[in-house]
Amino acid sequence: MSRFDRAAELLDLEPGLYKVLRHPEKQIIVSVPTLMDNGEVEVFTGYRVLYNTSRGPAKGGIRFDLQVTLEEVKALAAWMTWKCAVVNLPFGGSKGGVVCDPFKLSAGELERLTRRYTAGIIATLGPDSDVPAPDVNTNERVMAWVMDTYSMHMRHTVTAVVTGKPVEMGGSLGRREATGRGCMIVTKEALKHLGMPVQGTTIAVQGFGNVGSIAAQLLQREGCKIVAISDKSGGYYNKGGIDLSAALAHVKQHRGLEGFRGGDQISNDDLLTLDVDVLLPAALENVITSKNASKVRARVICEGANGPTTAGADSVLDEKGIFVIPDILANAGGVTVSYFEWVQDRGGYFWDEATVNNRLTEIMTRSFADVLQLSRQHKVNMRTAAYMLSISRVATVHRLRGIYA
Ligand code: GLU
């Protein structure tokens, strides 16, 4: 919220609107009783927060993780609001989560948990009200269960209630790769802006999931050199460049990078302070902090994850002259193609992959330019500029609609 406050101050936001935008619209907490394979019942806790719906249906992922808390979901739902506004999608922002360790659940347990959670939050779900998507530890299969559960309750198939679905049931081509592709596009824009070549640019990527692994592959294809990757098991550094196909094959076989021999082992913290041109944190929140920010040596940080940098680290990175592409811009490629998926579902007409990718490139490039222009105009960093742009868009709609009292 300190970033929100700073942008609100620069925008001279009126006090009433400031108060409205500082609060989530709706917070739902549900108990999720789940029948386990051993015949016993476990009760998990689930959340769904609709932060703001002034610009359109709430939009945001669902994560399954032991770290999930209501506070975290609220912050993530607020970020979704600013993210959708920064790339100018007609959506508000939301987020959901269930406190669980999905790696310890069988496929059957995961399905029952997903369906019961969906039933618990069903009153807010819908193509016109709240549209979930994948996030940390959820995927296409989980989205298929959400869609099916919702459809069973509605008594007809509703594809547009969720995005990030399998392509066979109304998903969009290019959605799976979209967040990583968006990171690649804005990283190239940043390099262009800074007068740095793409060829040979060295990159360290934290996180080898849907965002990090795809961003790494696409950036390598553009001529960059990925010198370090990591996942929960730690980091792997190779000065000559990581063999990404070997890393992907390893992950496929072992469900993670543990035991990967294609680089020297380093810790996740070491990865953040490597001497590279670009740092791409694509795992969890709060990894670049006021404690380690002074040791970051990259020239550019592309925030593939949501909230990888704490507010306390921002000024340290600024002082060092590090160009940060903030999360609400850098990882907006995912929700942008979610928007395309929702549009395709509602129109019942599906686009080819080239159309999806071209439209994504258009939106990401334009949004990067919009934020850069604002940052120059107000002499602020890219993060503050992104907040200013998105808050002013949301505020404008609130002013037009008025407060219903
Ligand atoms: N979970 C992704 C994010 O944080 C995607 C959200 C969506 O597509 O709705 O941006």
Side-chain angles (χ1 to χ4, degrees):
M1 291 316 289
S2 63
R3 285 144 174 181
F4 170 82
D5 285 352
R6 173 155 163 67
E9 198 185 312
L10 287 165
L11 288 167
D12 213 3
L13 203 64
E14 52 273 43
L17 205 42
Y18 171 79
K19 277 189 255 176
V20 171
L21 295 183
R22 256 184 148 269
H23 290 90
E25 277 176 23
K26 197 178 278 180
Q27 305 174 53
I28 304 160
I29 307 176
V30 287
S31 291
V32 187
T34 303
L35 182 64
M36 308 304 279
D37 290 347
N38 65 5
E40 283 175 21
V41 171
E42 276 303 332
V43 181
F44 299 90
T45 301
Y47 305 103
R48 186 78 184 164
V49 174
L50 276 61
Y51 195 84
N52 188 286
T53 60
S54 58
R55 290 168 47 87
K59 189 82 193 76
I62 295 171
R63 59 173 61 179
F64 288 170
D65 199 81
L66 284 175
Q67 309 294 326
V68 168
T69 62
L70 180 59
E71 286 308 303
E72 184 199 50
V73 177
K74 272 200 268 185
L76 289 161
W79 280 327
M80 283 310 302
T81 306
W82 314 133
K83 192 186 299 187
C84 290
V86 109
V87 287
N88 216 0
L89 308 178
F91 285 143
S94 57
K95 201 79 171 198
V98 179
V99 190
C100 67
D101 180 354
F103 297 100
K104 293 218 171 102
L105 299 174
S106 70
E109 289 167 344
L110 202 61
E111 177 174 353
R112 292 191 288 277
L113 176 140
T114 302
R115 289 184 181 279
R116 183 62 194 248
Y117 167 69
T118 305
I121 61 166
I122 205 156
T124 69
L125 295 183
D128 291 313
S129 49
D130 184 22
V131 186
D135 198 77
V136 173
N137 298 336
T138 55
N139 54 20
E140 293 178 2
R141 191 168 62 153
V142 173
M143 295 308 115
W145 292 324
V146 174
M147 185 276 223
D148 182 70
T149 307
Y150 181 83
S151 297
M152 286 296 125
H153 281 257
M154 294 303 132
R155 302 281 182 260
H156 64 277
T157 294
V158 186
T159 51
V161 67
V162 73
T163 59
K165 302 178 291 293
V167 170
E168 298 82 352
M169 54 181 279
S172 177
L173 293 168
R175 173 61 186 85
R176 196 184 304 158
E177 298 81 14
T179 313
R181 179 173 293 275
C183 291
M184 178 273 282
I185 296 165
V186 292
T187 299
K188 279 179 67 189
E189 289 302 309
L191 294 173
K192 202 195 307 170
H193 162 65
L194 297 168
M196 292 164 71
V198 177
Q199 285 301 321
T201 287
T202 54
I203 306 187
V205 182
Q206 183 178 66
F208 208 62
N210 187 46
V211 183
S213 72
I214 304 282
Q217 288 173 78
L218 293 177
L219 282 160
Q220 192 183 57
R221 213 176 288 165
E222 295 293 317
C224 299
K225 193 178 351 161
I226 311 300
V227 294
I229 55 172
S230 76
D231 71 359
K232 274 189 297 201
S233 72
Y236 306 84
Y237 173 69
N238 188 332
K239 207 167 165 235
I242 299 274
D243 179 349
L244 292 175
S245 327
L248 288 163
H250 188 95
V251 168
K252 207 166 173 195
Q253 205 185 339
H254 301 94
R255 287 187 81 186
L257 284 170
E258 184 140 35
F260 177 58
R261 302 236 173 275
D264 299 333
Q265 265 197 296
I266 55 171
S267 72
N268 259 302
D269 285 344
D270 295 340
L271 181 141
L272 298 171
T273 56
L274 285 173
D275 189 9
V276 288
D277 299 314
V278 178
L279 178 62
L280 207 161
L284 287 171
E285 295 102 81
N286 304 335
V287 291
I288 302 170
T289 66
S290 53
K291 286 211 180 74
N292 64 4
S294 61
K295 291 189 239 145
V296 172
R297 285 188 276 176
R299 176 77 180 89
V300 175
I301 298 178
C302 174
E303 297 186 334
N306 289 314
T309 308
T310 65
D314 283 349
S315 55
V316 184
L317 299 177
D318 278 347
E319 273 162 34
K320 294 184 62 131
I322 297 174
F323 187 86
V324 179
I325 315 167
D327 48 6
I328 57 172
L329 171 65
N331 69 39
V335 74
T336 300
V337 177
S338 277
Y339 165 56
F340 297 161
E341 181 171 331
W342 178 82
V343 167
Q344 292 170 79
D345 288 341
R346 289 167 73 107
Y349 177 74
F350 291 85
W351 315 345
D352 61 30
E353 197 166 348
T355 303
V356 171
N357 290 345
N358 289 338
R359 289 181 175 166
L360 172 64
T361 305
E362 223 171 85
I363 290 184
M364 294 304 293
T365 315
R366 190 189 61 219
S367 304
F368 182 92
D370 289 346
V371 175
L372 184 63
Q373 196 262 331
L374 212 59
S375 96
R376 282 174 159 158
Q377 190 186 330
H378 292 271
K379 301 198 172 28
V380 293
N381 63 22
M382 289 288 279
R383 187 180 323 273
T384 304
Y387 272 80
M388 288 174 75
L389 180 61
S390 54
I391 292 169
S392 67
R393 281 180 175 154
V394 176
T396 299
V397 174
H398 272 276
R399 284 187 204 109
L400 289 167
R401 290 180 62 159
I403 302 282
Y404 180 49

